[in-house]
Amino acid sequence: MDKLKEKLSRFMYGRYGSDRLNIFMVIVLLVCAVINLFVRTGYFSILLTSWEFLLLILIYYRMFSKNISKRYAENQKYLVLENKVKRFFGKQKYIQEQRKDFHIYTCPQCRQKIRIPRGKGKISIRCPKCGAEFVKKS
């Protein structure tokens, strides 16, 4: 068993290995495989199987690649995109939490979002960004 481990580590020396992009592609591959189990349509099943096959080839290609700088750049692009998506959903979650205690209005001129406490009646709101005033009910 130790010889096999040693041969594998020698083979992987100088190769890229796994990263977050590969892990994401493995998750997509598994989701496609599970969906493919329940699909009875021939065309859709063939499409999913081909996607699985292409993902598997891409995963192994990236993992065994010796062009480490290129694979690193691909992973960095993926991480930037992942952070944008996480930030977007985090912002949406924060807005939903704030809606319990605040009304969130948008300035009609500059589109700045303004947070106003609930239960204050009809109030005049002054935009902190552009200075426009508008009346809304809180």
Side-chain angles (χ1 to χ4, degrees):
M1 191 66 158
D2 289 333
K3 275 189 172 185
L4 183 63
K5 212 183 232 184
E6 185 181 326
K7 284 183 180 181
L8 183 63
S9 68
R10 223 178 305 128
F11 174 74
M12 288 301 291
Y13 182 77
R15 298 186 190 274
Y16 188 65
S18 187
D19 59 5
R20 294 279 297 269
L21 178 56
N22 268 8
I23 292 170
F24 174 75
M25 288 191 299
V26 167
I27 291 170
V28 170
L29 175 73
L30 291 174
V31 168
C32 286
V34 169
I35 291 172
N36 203 3
L37 288 174
F38 299 106
V39 170
R40 298 289 181 226
T41 309
Y43 176 74
F44 194 64
S45 180
I46 291 171
L47 184 69
L48 279 174
T49 304
S50 61
W51 271 101
E52 292 170 25
F53 185 68
L54 289 173
L55 276 171
L56 197 60
I57 289 172
L58 188 59
I59 289 167
Y60 279 120
Y61 173 75
R62 290 189 80 252
M63 192 179 297
F64 296 134
S65 174
K66 288 190 175 186
N67 192 349
I68 293 173
S69 60
K70 199 165 193 173
R71 301 294 86 82
Y72 179 79
E74 291 169 355
N75 188 50
Q76 289 303 311
K77 286 180 185 178
Y78 166 74
L79 290 176
V80 167
L81 181 66
E82 181 184 271
N83 285 335
K84 284 181 183 178
V85 170
K86 281 184 178 179
R87 217 175 308 124
F88 173 77
F89 284 110
K91 194 182 294 184
Q92 295 305 315
K93 181 181 175 189
Y94 176 75
I95 288 172
Q96 290 303 318
E97 290 171 354
Q98 293 296 310
R99 288 192 188 274
K100 296 173 189 169
D101 301 322
F102 299 94
H103 278 286
I104 299 175
Y105 294 113
T106 304
C107 175
Q109 288 185 359
C110 67
R111 303 311 228 176
Q112 172 73 33
K113 290 187 178 178
I114 304 165
R115 194 176 70 160
I116 305 297
R118 288 184 177 268
K120 301 292 182 186
K122 204 170 206 179
I123 58 172
S124 176
I125 302 168
R126 184 181 164 279
C127 176
K129 188 174 180 183
C130 68
E133 287 199 25
F134 51 99
V135 177
K136 292 284 185 177
K137 182 181 175 189
S138 69

Tab-separated table of all heavy atoms in Angstrom, residues 1-11:
chain	number	residue	atom	x	y	z
A	1	MET	N	0.819	-1.194	0.000
A	1	MET	CA	0.000	0.000	0.000
A	1	MET	C	0.868	1.266	0.000
A	1	MET	O	0.517	2.246	-0.619
A	1	MET	CB	-0.935	-0.046	1.216
A	1	MET	CG	-2.001	0.992	1.163
A	1	MET	SD	-3.095	0.639	-0.198
A	1	MET	CE	-4.505	1.495	0.303
A	2	ASP	N	2.004	1.194	0.719
A	2	ASP	CA	2.891	2.351	0.775
A	2	ASP	C	3.549	2.625	-0.574
A	2	ASP	O	3.787	3.781	-0.928
A	2	ASP	CB	3.972	2.150	1.844
A	2	ASP	CG	3.407	2.238	3.258
A	2	ASP	OD1	2.385	2.935	3.423
A	2	ASP	OD2	3.984	1.630	4.177
A	3	LYS	N	3.834	1.557	-1.332
A	3	LYS	CA	4.435	1.741	-2.655
A	3	LYS	C	3.474	2.457	-3.590
A	3	LYS	O	3.879	3.323	-4.361
A	3	LYS	CB	4.835	0.387	-3.255
A	3	LYS	CG	6.168	-0.120	-2.833
A	3	LYS	CD	6.551	-1.327	-3.655
A	3	LYS	CE	7.972	-1.705	-3.342
A	3	LYS	NZ	8.422	-2.803	-4.194
A	4	LEU	N	2.203	2.089	-3.520
A	4	LEU	CA	1.183	2.722	-4.352
A	4	LEU	C	1.046	4.200	-4.000
A	4	LEU	O	0.955	5.055	-4.884
A	4	LEU	CB	-0.156	2.005	-4.193
A	4	LEU	CG	-1.290	2.511	-5.056
A	4	LEU	CD1	-0.972	2.306	-6.529
A	4	LEU	CD2	-2.581	1.811	-4.681
A	5	LYS	N	1.068	4.493	-2.697
A	5	LYS	CA	0.982	5.875	-2.231
A	5	LYS	C	2.181	6.688	-2.721
A	5	LYS	O	2.047	7.821	-3.166
A	5	LYS	CB	0.944	5.873	-0.704
A	5	LYS	CG	0.144	6.973	-0.082
A	5	LYS	CD	0.264	6.864	1.424
A	5	LYS	CE	-1.087	6.867	2.053
A	5	LYS	NZ	-1.030	6.869	3.513
A	6	GLU	N	3.357	6.067	-2.657
A	6	GLU	CA	4.578	6.732	-3.104
A	6	GLU	C	4.558	6.983	-4.609
A	6	GLU	O	4.926	8.061	-5.081
A	6	GLU	CB	5.788	5.877	-2.732
A	6	GLU	CG	7.109	6.524	-3.030
A	6	GLU	CD	8.268	5.621	-2.652
A	6	GLU	OE1	8.155	4.879	-1.663
A	6	GLU	OE2	9.280	5.667	-3.374
A	7	LYS	N	4.094	6.007	-5.378
A	7	LYS	CA	4.008	6.167	-6.832
A	7	LYS	C	3.008	7.270	-7.192
A	7	LYS	O	3.257	8.061	-8.108
A	7	LYS	CB	3.595	4.856	-7.493
A	7	LYS	CG	4.704	3.846	-7.576
A	7	LYS	CD	4.261	2.604	-8.310
A	7	LYS	CE	5.387	1.610	-8.393
A	7	LYS	NZ	5.018	0.394	-9.117
A	8	LEU	N	1.898	7.302	-6.483
A	8	LEU	CA	0.899	8.336	-6.743
A	8	LEU	C	1.439	9.723	-6.411
A	8	LEU	O	1.242	10.667	-7.182
A	8	LEU	CB	-0.382	8.063	-5.947
A	8	LEU	CG	-1.524	9.026	-6.195
A	8	LEU	CD1	-2.001	8.951	-7.643
A	8	LEU	CD2	-2.674	8.747	-5.248
A	9	SER	N	2.129	9.845	-5.293
A	9	SER	CA	2.687	11.154	-4.940
A	9	SER	C	3.773	11.577	-5.928
A	9	SER	O	3.898	12.756	-6.256
A	9	SER	CB	3.213	11.155	-3.512
A	9	SER	OG	4.335	10.347	-3.389
A	10	ARG	N	4.572	10.616	-6.420
A	10	ARG	CA	5.574	10.928	-7.432
A	10	ARG	C	4.921	11.361	-8.744
A	10	ARG	O	5.392	12.265	-9.425
A	10	ARG	CB	6.469	9.710	-7.671
A	10	ARG	CG	7.925	10.099	-7.776
A	10	ARG	CD	8.890	8.949	-7.956
A	10	ARG	NE	8.781	7.927	-6.925
A	10	ARG	CZ	8.621	6.624	-7.185
A	10	ARG	NH1	8.580	6.203	-8.423
A	10	ARG	NH2	8.532	5.762	-6.220
A	11	PHE	N	3.812	10.690	-9.101
A	11	PHE	CA	3.085	11.050	-10.319
A	11	PHE	C	2.491	12.459	-10.219
A	11	PHE	O	2.505	13.225	-11.176
A	11	PHE	CB	1.979	10.029	-10.586
A	11	PHE	CG	1.081	10.393	-11.731
A	11	PHE	CD1	1.530	10.286	-13.036
A	11	PHE	CD2	-0.206	10.854	-11.501
A	11	PHE	CE1	0.715	10.628	-14.100
A	11	PHE	CE2	-1.027	11.198	-12.563
A	11	PHE	CZ	-0.574	11.084	-13.858
